[in-house]
Amino acid sequence: MRYVIIGAGAVGGTVGGRLAQAGREVVLVARGKHLAALAGHGLRLRVPEGELTYRLPAVDGPGPLGELRADDVLVLAVKTQDTVSALQTWAELPVTGGGTAAERLPLVCLQNGVESGRLALRRFRRVYGVCVWLPSTFVEPGVVSAAGSPLTGILHLGRLPHGTDDTARRIAADLAGARFEAPVVPDVARWQYAKLLWNLGTAFEALCGPAADDAAHALLARVRAEGEAVLDAAGIAHADAGEQRAARGDKVTLVPLDGAPRGGGSSWQSLARGTGTIEADYLNGEIALLGRLHGVATPLNELLQSLANRFAREGRAAGSMPVGELVRRADAVARRTG
């Protein structure tokens, strides 16, 4: 199979690089300065064993590829706010032997949140969800860092809305040969909702930097408790904390990397790169949506969503809000809705 990585940033670039290292055929799709760096100097992947460079085909879209191959796997690794545009670009492309990508090819949603899978199922027949546990960073064009060891990440994989098949098992086998653990599960959404609860803290990290004191951890606990209350009200199952700890164990331990930037997760990185957008509408905003649908107040998640969007829109620096200020705002909105 050939893996077409649509969005070769932190997660997509790491998975693409590791698959290439394992001898798999990989195409990277990127844009702007990142594409220019990939095309000119290759993908520089900083990992615990050192910096590795992979000179892989890098394109800005499907045009240079021509007709897609019947053995292509489309790996969607853009941020959720870019999903619709990507689906529109790739869905109707012809595939060798007849039919379109949406009709014939597997689409793997290698993304945070749960919305992209729903969007993809509107266009593609064969959609696979992934619960992404993969610490990685992308802030410099052409360079992706992944500090996990001995495994690079854990990627629970399954059909959406549910189920498994031979394609999922083949993809999982390729990932397992590329320094990932990739359990094939019939209920991948259950794992994705568990990860969603964790991702509710990414907006906090974008605003204030990584949680480093009791006040920060206390606020994050309140934010995630809101999320759990919403999922319970909606009747949405999710893996509990104990099950997640058992699945991860000590398989992905962070190792300091020479030359690798330190900062935060995907939302922090969006602000650090000045992209102008952030994923909060599909993380904290997913909880706000479910709260409104099921009659549960979600003031803290709404606050984080609003502030993260403002920071992205105004080009504010990642981590520039003092924790105390955010806690004061959170207490104020909680009092108003309490």
Side-chain angles (χ1 to χ4, degrees):
M1 296 187 291
R2 179 176 70 168
Y3 291 88
V4 181
I5 310 293
I6 304 168
V11 171
T14 298
V15 170
R18 283 304 202 189
L19 284 170
Q21 182 182 22
R24 304 302 171 191
E25 191 175 358
V26 174
V27 175
L28 303 178
V29 182
R31 57 190 178 186
K33 293 180 180 179
H34 188 43
L35 173 62
L38 294 173
H41 307 290
L43 171 67
R44 295 163 58 196
L45 180 62
R46 290 174 177 160
V47 287
E49 62 264 36
E51 182 172 295
L52 312 173
T53 300
Y54 299 99
R55 292 193 171 273
L56 304 172
V59 298
D60 64 353
L65 299 179
E67 201 170 55
L68 295 176
R69 294 172 10 186
D71 65 345
D72 279 340
V73 175
L74 303 182
V75 180
L76 190 62
V78 299
K79 296 292 176 61
T80 306
Q81 61 267 30
D82 298 319
T83 291
V84 169
S85 175
L87 294 173
Q88 291 171 341
T89 297
W90 292 85
E92 300 305 318
L93 297 175
V95 178
T96 299
T100 66
E103 294 167 339
R104 294 188 56 196
L105 299 184
L107 179 78
V108 178
C109 294
L110 192 70
Q111 299 162 287
N112 285 326
V114 296
E115 181 63 16
S116 281
R118 294 193 292 241
L119 294 171
L121 283 167
R122 288 176 168 86
R123 303 292 296 269
F124 280 76
R125 291 178 181 172
R126 299 167 61 197
V127 179
Y128 299 79
V130 181
C131 174
V132 181
W133 286 102
L134 200 177
S136 53
T137 304
F138 163 53
V139 294
E140 177 186 349
V143 182
V144 173
S145 302
S149 179
L151 294 178
T152 301
I154 300 176
L155 307 171
H156 286 76
L157 170 71
R159 286 288 297 259
L160 287 176
H162 49 74
T164 65
D165 61 16
D166 287 341
T167 297
R169 286 184 280 272
R170 290 179 63 196
I171 294 170
D174 284 350
L175 291 170
R179 302 203 184 200
F180 296 98
E181 184 171 289
V184 177
V185 294
D187 54 352
V188 68
R190 182 170 165 272
W191 290 90
Q192 289 177 307
Y193 275 104
K195 178 66 185 308
L196 172 65
L197 292 175
W198 180 262
N199 282 141
L200 297 181
T202 62
F204 171 94
E205 195 175 56
L207 297 169
C208 302
D213 58 28
D214 290 345
H217 289 295
L219 177 56
L220 286 173
R222 292 164 62 194
V223 169
R224 291 181 178 128
E226 237 180 44
E228 289 181 354
V230 164
L231 295 188
D232 288 345
I236 295 174
H238 58 89
D240 63 30
E243 189 175 1
Q244 294 176 71
R245 284 194 298 271
R248 294 195 301 274
D250 57 359
K251 300 169 186 175
V252 183
T253 300
L254 298 187
V255 176
L257 302 179
D258 291 339
R262 296 181 182 179
S266 59
S267 293
W268 183 95
Q269 294 169 45
S270 291
L271 293 185
R273 295 200 312 276
T275 63
T277 65
I278 201 165
E279 211 167 9
D281 284 348
Y282 304 99
L283 301 175
N284 306 91
E286 179 71 25
I287 296 302
L289 168 63
L290 289 171
R292 291 165 189 146
L293 291 174
H294 297 279
V296 179
T298 59
L300 302 182
N301 280 280
E302 291 172 31
L303 174 66
L304 289 178
Q305 177 188 5
S306 175
L307 289 173
N309 281 325
R310 184 186 305 172
F311 267 49
R313 186 172 59 249
E314 296 176 356
R316 304 268 295 271
S320 59
M321 175 176 280
V323 173
E325 179 182 346
L326 182 57
V327 170
R328 286 192 294 274
R329 292 179 180 232
D331 288 343
V333 297
R335 285 193 298 270
R336 287 199 298 269
T337 58

